[in-house]
Structures are given as C-alpha cells and as structure tokens.
C-alpha cells in the first residue's frame, strides 16, 4: 500500500528507462504525447498562472473595472499598511486559522491512533462516518452551525443555560465568532485528516507496535513514541496544507453574519482577508487595492507555511 | 483496508473507551446533518422553542414549496449537477491522458514538463480571483457555467495520481506487445491503459465532483442571474430571506446535501479507500 508520503515523491517505477518505441513514427504519433498533456498546461496557464502573476501587476494600479487604470506604484501597499481594516482582517485570519488547525490536527492524531487498532470492530463504519463532514458543503455547514450557536434560539446556548451560563452572542462577539468559525472548519476537516494519518500509520510495521507492547509500553506511550514520530512527514504535510487552506477562509464568515455579510458583522469582528479582498474588489470595485490584499495574503501564506514547516520538522523521532 | 490487514496495526485488546471516543466522534459528525433535517421540517415557532424539538416535524413539504418559490432551486441543483459531473468526468479523462503520457510515452521535455506540473500545486490560485474575473469578463464568460467548468478541469494533483497508478499497473511489456500488433498511441490508451486504471480515475472523478459541488467562492463571484445559480449560491440567496423563515435556508441546505449523502452511501467505501491509498492530500 502506497502511503501519502510516497505520493510526494515521483513514483519509483516511472518508466526509467522509457519504454522502447518503434523507430518509424508518423508526425501524429510523435505529437500525441504533447496533445495529451496540453489541456492541463493551457487551462492552468490561462486560468491559474496568468491571473496569479497578473495580481502582482494589477496591485500597482488604481484599477477601476469600468473606469481608468492609473499606475500608482506601491501606493496600494502604503495605503493598505495604514488601513486598520487590513490589520483587523489579518488578525482575524490568523486567529481563526490557529483556533481551527490546532484542535483539528490533535483530534485527528488521537482518532487515527485508535482507528489503527488491529481488532477494532465496525472500522469501516467509523471511517466513513468521520468523512461525512467533508462531503457536506461549507454553505450548508455554516447555516446549521450559525443556528446551533444562535444567541436566542441556539441549541448550544440552551444547553449552557441548563448549567446556569448566560447566553453567549457568538456571532456578534469577536472571540465568539472566531470560535464558531473554527468549530466549523474543525468539524469539516478533522475526519479527512484522520484518514490521511491512518493511511500513513498503516505503513508502520506491526512488529514495531508489538515489540513496544511486549516491552510494556501502554497505549499512551505507544501513541507518544510510535504513532506521532512515524507520522512526521504527513503531519508536516497537513500543517502546511491547512495553513494554505485555512488562511483563505471565506464562506464561513460570509454566511454566519447574514446582516452585514461582506464585513462579517457590524465591527468587522470576523472579517477575514479573503472577505476583505472580496469587499474591496467586488463590493467597492477597487481591483487594484483588492489585488494588493491578494498579494499580502500570498506573502502571509508563504511566511506562515514556512514557519510551520520548520516547526513541524522538529517533531522528535525517538523510538 | 479491512480490519484484517496485517501491517501497521496496534496489538492488544480494544478498550471500552476507544468505542466511546469513536461513537462520540461519529455523533459529532452526524448530528449537524440530523439537526439540519430537524429544522428543515419544522416551522419557525417550533424551531425557536426551548427546549428544542429533537424529532422531525411535518412542515418539510411546505418549506420545500417556499424554497422553490424564493429561488429556482431545481434549476440550481441541475446546474450543480452539470458543473460537478463535467468537472468529475473531465478531470478523470484529462488527468488519465496526461498521466499516461508522463508514465508511458517518451517525448522531449517530458521530465521538465512533469516538474512544472508538480510545482503548479504550490500556486495558491484562489488569491487571484480579481484577474480571474477579468479574464472571464474578456472571454464573455461571466454568468455562465463554463466559467466554473473549464478552470476546474486542470488538476495537477490528478495528473500526479494517475501517473502513479499507470506506472504501477501497466507493464512496459504490455505496451510493447500492443505496439507490435500495430496499435496507435490513442488505441493503446483507450483500449488498454484506460480500462485498467478506470477504478483510480473513478475515485479521482468522485473527489472532483464533490469539490465542484461544494465550491462557493468562485461561483459566488462569477454567477449573477438566479437561473444560473449553483445549489450553494442558491443557499446564500435563501439566507438573504432568513428573517422570513428560519427553516428556509435550512431546507435549501438540506436539499443541496441530499444528493451528496446518497452518492456517499453508494461510493463512500471507495472514497475512504482512495484516501487510505494516499490519494487525496488537499
């Protein structure tokens, strides 16, 4: 069984050397390979790479979609760094991302560990159940969770009320809305991450777990000294991908604050950078300023992903 | 992927708290969907009652009627079906073709092109929605379904995944035998390679379908008229009339989720198997 880590490196049997081909081939036969790979390069070039590069260009302009495009150099960036709304959105983005990533990855580690048990019954049922949130759309998830966390009619506040806690206005408060969004993100992704970890765990030789058990290692010690270190590559992978994905959160904050969706509430309490980008680009038609926000978000993704990469490579490999 | 697999499993007895933990996780995963169903079947007065009702009410068909009055929801579901199917099938075929070329054909620049494919996975294209919109505007594709379908067909990961499967399952001897029998490259792909890797292509297509069905940001930017909405955008439109009826957006969410739940019941095992094979990493 190939593991997740194996897919990160080119397949070893990648036809080296390439298969011998008959010498005499027509022009069509010689061009066929290019025709097979061309759709990807054309589509990605036009709709992926070109817009990505063009973002950096548009960010240097005062660019109105139905008006003028005036080159203004770095003015969008100076304006952005002086804009408290930008720093608010950046702070919200990092806060929501941290609140959602840490519990998600810890939960996935524990669940993968127990799902990896040799004599577990109903294993397929549990594996399929944890994948249900992944197939549920963000839009549907946001509507349900906003209702569950509602101040007046929410199930959660009703339960809190039973133990004497005053209703919490999750949507209108800063930390409450961050917690609400982070809960949705965690709910949606923890099962998927669990299965990625489980895939990697199944490549660990069973004798390692058995030897540890014979030496008297309990479940916690096996978790700490075998499961976590052997998952190192996939943990690094999920930390980096959840950074890239998590920092682009858009739909959840848009949908929980139905009154003022583009700002995610009256005081922008949960406006993320992608929402701020959308507000400036498509709400205010400031394509230049919106693109500058996109560039800043890109820089932030790269920096935080790099920091996380370095930190997660320091998981100890002690067996 | 059954529980009898010999490798990598922990030894010993399964303790009771393991099942407690797994049952709690299962409940947490399924409860929001159950709750969606509850609110989608009650009227506002019941949905806002404390303590809350935890059994379905009889208001479902009334709410569905209201949903259909507010937005063209059936049309939205059809649009989602068209977009998601086109992306799922398109990715499966295009990625199999490209994966086949990278795994089994010899051509100038092959390795360099493959490195480029892998590198494209690191480009976060979601951040460049403004130029993407400008391109769609130039092409006259704003407010069309092809604006959603065509960009979704390119999948670097899919090429990677198909290449790995083709390398692992199709021997060079088989390729040569077909060549000696006079088969063209196209014939080798369609008659020999594709049938062998169809299961892997199917799993890839499934994930493409699910991702496309649930996509929100890009359709939200590109689609303007209600008759072009996908199901997710229709949910958003329903939510704008949230004050009218609490159950309205919930009924729409429920309707948009049913097709995927049905699909998951049918093919969920293969999706789990696909992830456990190391298939989908983000």
């Amino acid at each position: 069984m190939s593991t997740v880590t194996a897919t990160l490196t080119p397949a070893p049997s990648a036809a080296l050397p390439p298969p011998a081909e008959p010498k005499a081939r027509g022009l069509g036969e010689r061009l066929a390979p290019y025709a097979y790979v061309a759709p990807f390069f054309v589509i990605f070039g036009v709709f992926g790479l070109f817009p990505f590069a063009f973002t950096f260009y548009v960010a240097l302009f005062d660019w109105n979609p139905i008006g003028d495009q005036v080159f203004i150099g770095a003015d969008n960036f100076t304006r952005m760094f002086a804009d408290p709304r930008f720093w608010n959105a950046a702070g919200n983005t990092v806060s929501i991302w941290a609140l959602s990533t840490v519990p998600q990855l810890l939960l996935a580690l524990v669940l993968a560990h127990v799902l990896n048990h040799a004599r577990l019954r109903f294993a397929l049922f549990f594996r399929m159940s944890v994948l249900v949130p992944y197939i549920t759309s963000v839009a549907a998830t946001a509507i349900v969770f906003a209702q569950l966390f509602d101040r007046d009619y929410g199930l959660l506040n009703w339960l809190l009320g039973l133990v004497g806690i005053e209703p919490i206005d999750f949507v209108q408060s800063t930390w409450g809305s961050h917690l609400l969004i982070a809960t949705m993100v965690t709910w949606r992704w923890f099962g998927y991450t669990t299965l990625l970890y489980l895939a990697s765990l199944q490549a660990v030789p069973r004798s390692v777990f058995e030897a540890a058990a014979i030496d008297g290692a309990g479940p916690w010690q096996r978790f700490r000294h075998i499961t976590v270190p052997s998952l190192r590559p996939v943990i690094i992978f999920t930390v980096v991908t959840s950074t890239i994905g998590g920092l682009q959160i858009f739909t959840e904050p848009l949908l929980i604050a139905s009154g003022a969706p583009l700002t995610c509430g009256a005081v922008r309490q949960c406006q993320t950078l992608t929402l701020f980008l959308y507000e400036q680009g498509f709400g205010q038609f400031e394509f230049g300023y919106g693109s500058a926000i996109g560039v800043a978000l890109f820089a932030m993704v790269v920096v935080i992903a790099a920091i996380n990469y370095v930190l997660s490579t320091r998981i100890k490999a002690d067996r | 992927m059954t529980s009898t697999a010999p490798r990598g499993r922990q030894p010993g007895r399964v303790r009771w708290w393991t099942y407690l933990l797994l049952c709690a996780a299962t409940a947490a995963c399924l409860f929001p969907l159950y709750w969606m169903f509850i609110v989608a079947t009650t009227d506002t007065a019941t949905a806002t009652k404390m303590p809350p009702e935890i059994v379905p009410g009889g208001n479902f068909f009334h709410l569905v009627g209201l949903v259909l009055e507010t937005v063209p929801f059936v049309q939205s579901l059809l649009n989602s079906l068209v977009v998601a199917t086109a992306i799922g099938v398109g990715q499966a075929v295009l990625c199999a073709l490209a994966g086949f070329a990278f795994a089994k054909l010899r051509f100038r620049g092959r390795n360099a092109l493959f490195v480029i494919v892998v590198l494209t996975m690191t480009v976060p294209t979601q951040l460049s929605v403004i130029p993407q919109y400008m391109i769609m505007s130039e092409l006259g594709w704003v407010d069309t379904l092809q604006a959603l379908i065509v960009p979704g067909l390119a999948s670097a990961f899919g090429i990677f995944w198909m290449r790995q499967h083709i390398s692992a399952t199709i021997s060079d001897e088989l390729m040569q035998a077909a060549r000696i029998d006079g088969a063209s490259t196209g014939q080798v792909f369609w008659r020999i390679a594709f049938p062998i890797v169809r299961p892997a292509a199917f799993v890839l297509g499934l994930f493409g379908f699910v991702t496309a069905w649930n996509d929100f940001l890009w359709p939200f930017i590109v689609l303007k008229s209600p008759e072009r909405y996908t199901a997710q955008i229709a949910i958003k439109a329903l939510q704008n009339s949230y004050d009218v009826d609490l159950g309205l957006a919930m009924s729409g969410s429920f309707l948009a989720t049913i097709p995927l739940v049905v699909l998951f019941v049918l093919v969920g095992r293969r999706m789990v198997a696909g992830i456990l094979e190391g298939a989908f990493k983000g």
Side-chain angles (χ1 to χ4, degrees):
Chain A
M1 178 177 285
S2 62
T3 65
V4 174
T5 47
T7 64
L8 289 171
T9 51
S13 62
L16 293 171
E21 302 268 344
K23 286 279 173 276
R25 291 194 296 167
L27 184 64
E29 285 292 287
R30 273 186 284 133
L31 290 180
Y34 297 103
Y36 292 0
V37 301
F40 170 81
F41 287 100
V42 172
I43 293 168
F44 181 77
V46 174
F47 300 109
L49 196 60
F50 174 71
F52 181 70
F54 204 56
T55 301
F56 291 81
Y57 178 75
V58 177
L60 302 175
F61 285 79
D62 182 2
W63 193 303
N64 187 304
I66 45 165
D68 292 336
Q69 288 101 46
V70 184
F71 181 82
I72 54 168
D75 281 8
N76 280 325
F77 293 96
T78 12
R79 173 182 164 198
M80 184 173 72
F81 290 132
D83 188 344
R85 299 174 304 176
F86 169 75
W87 294 108
N88 169 64
N92 289 342
T93 306
V94 173
S95 159
I96 291 167
W97 164 75
L99 281 172
S100 55
T101 308
V102 177
Q104 184 207 136
L105 300 191
L106 291 179
L107 195 57
L109 271 179
V110 173
L111 283 175
H113 181 75
V114 301
L115 277 173
N116 192 35
H117 208 290
R119 293 191 217 148
L120 186 71
R121 287 161 164 270
F122 315 113
L124 181 67
F125 170 75
F126 289 126
R127 287 172 187 178
M128 280 182 68
S129 300
V130 296
L131 202 56
V132 166
Y134 169 79
I135 62 144
T136 310
S137 73
V138 186
T141 305
I143 306 268
V144 180
F145 276 76
Q147 212 270 332
L148 285 170
F149 281 70
D150 190 87
R151 188 191 60 190
D152 302 318
Y153 311 116
L155 197 60
L156 186 66
N157 270 321
W158 176 72
L159 287 171
L160 290 176
L162 293 183
V163 292
I165 297 173
E166 288 292 303
I168 299 166
D169 198 342
F170 285 98
V171 175
Q172 297 304 329
S173 66
T174 301
W175 71 269
S177 60
H178 292 192
L179 202 65
L180 169 50
I181 294 165
T183 307
M184 283 189 257
V185 177
T186 303
W187 182 76
R188 194 162 136 78
W189 289 103
F190 82 90
Y192 180 86
T193 312
T194 301
L195 293 181
L196 286 186
Y197 289 172
L198 182 61
S200 192
L201 267 188
Q202 294 191 343
V204 178
R206 185 178 177 173
S207 56
V208 173
F209 284 107
E210 278 169 351
I214 290 166
D215 290 348
W220 165 249
Q221 283 164 319
R222 293 205 295 267
F223 177 74
R224 169 73 187 81
H225 295 292
I226 303 175
T227 299
V228 174
S230 54
L231 286 180
R232 210 174 79 123
V234 69
I235 290 173
I236 295 171
F237 173 78
T238 50
V239 165
V240 172
T241 50
S242 65
T243 306
I244 295 167
L247 292 175
Q248 299 179 45
I249 294 290
F250 174 82
T251 316
E252 292 92 339
L254 178 81
L255 285 175
I256 61 162
S258 53
L262 291 193
T263 53
C264 189
V267 291
R268 298 174 184 269
Q269 65 268 27
C270 56
Q271 189 184 43
T272 58
L273 276 174
T274 315
L275 255 182
F276 187 44
L277 189 166
Y278 183 90
E279 185 199 4
Q280 294 307 311
F282 299 100
Q284 310 290 328
F285 299 109
E286 297 222 33
F287 277 13
Y289 194 47
S291 294
I293 298 163
V295 171
L297 185 49
F298 171 65
M300 205 165 103
V301 167
V302 171
V303 169
I304 296 183
I307 293 172
N308 278 305
Y309 175 79
V310 171
L311 287 180
S312 52
T313 51
R314 296 177 66 171
I315 297 168
K316 269 192 251 152
D318 54 337
R319 291 212 172 153
Chain B
M1 62 152 289
T2 59
S3 53
T4 55
R7 283 173 63 84
R9 299 311 185 77
Q10 304 173 54
R13 217 158 34 83
V14 186
R15 289 175 172 77
W16 62 270
W17 51 260
T18 301
Y19 289 108
L20 188 71
L21 181 70
L22 287 171
C23 288
T26 301
C29 286
L30 302 181
F31 179 75
L33 288 189
Y34 178 71
W35 187 251
M36 197 195 290
F37 178 63
I38 297 291
V39 180
T41 56
T42 51
D43 53 76
T44 306
T46 322
T48 56
K49 205 169 69 180
M50 290 293 148
E53 288 288 329
I54 52 161
V55 289
N59 206 27
F60 183 57
F61 292 102
H62 167 73
L63 278 173
V64 170
L66 210 58
V67 167
L68 300 181
E69 267 174 42
T70 315
V71 288
F73 207 80
V74 175
Q75 181 67 46
S76 302
L77 287 170
L78 281 175
N79 292 342
S80 281
L81 192 67
V82 167
V83 170
T85 307
I87 287 180
V89 173
Q91 270 193 14
V93 172
L94 289 183
C95 294
L97 267 172
F100 173 73
F102 282 123
K104 291 291 167 192
L105 303 180
R106 188 165 49 165
F107 56 98
R108 195 181 290 269
R110 185 180 74 157
N111 292 334
L113 287 175
F114 188 70
V115 168
I116 294 174
V117 170
V118 173
L119 285 179
T120 61
M121 284 195 234
T122 60
V123 180
T125 53
Q126 244 209 334
L127 307 181
S128 35
V129 287
I130 289 174
Q132 279 163 2
Y133 181 84
M134 289 156 72
I135 290 168
M136 290 302 167
S137 187
E138 287 293 317
L139 291 170
W141 286 11
V142 172
D143 203 22
T144 66
L145 294 186
Q146 71 256 34
L148 309 183
I149 294 170
V150 177
L153 296 175
S155 164
F157 172 72
I159 293 177
F160 196 84
W161 165 244
M162 290 314 299
R163 173 180 173 269
Q164 207 189 13
H165 272 266
I166 290 167
S167 293
T169 54
I170 296 164
S171 69
D172 292 343
E173 290 77 17
L174 186 63
M175 292 279 299
Q176 279 162 6
R179 288 288 194 191
I180 289 162
D181 289 347
S184 69
T185 309
Q187 284 167 329
V188 174
F189 175 77
W190 285 113
R191 303 241 179 104
I192 298 171
F194 193 70
I196 294 175
V197 293
R198 200 184 290 150
F202 180 75
V203 173
L204 178 70
L206 271 182
F207 278 84
F209 183 96
V210 171
T211 307
W213 182 278
N214 289 333
D215 193 16
F216 186 87
L217 175 58
W218 184 235
F220 186 63
I221 288 173
V222 164
L223 301 176
K224 308 285 175 197
S225 31
E227 65 270 17
R228 301 275 157 65
Y229 284 173
T230 59
Q232 309 310 325
I233 308 308
I235 292 175
K236 169 70 188 144
L238 286 173
Q239 199 209 20
N240 292 342
S241 29
Y242 196 60
D243 300 330
V244 182
D245 196 313
L246 189 65
L248 192 62
M250 209 69 104
S251 304
S253 301
F254 182 68
L255 286 180
T257 306
I258 292 174
L260 280 204
V261 170
V262 171
L263 183 75
F264 189 71
V265 168
L266 296 176
V267 296
R269 289 174 84 110
R270 290 168 87 166
M271 291 180 75
V272 171
I275 296 175
L276 289 184
E277 268 179 63
F280 292 91
K281 318 175 286 40

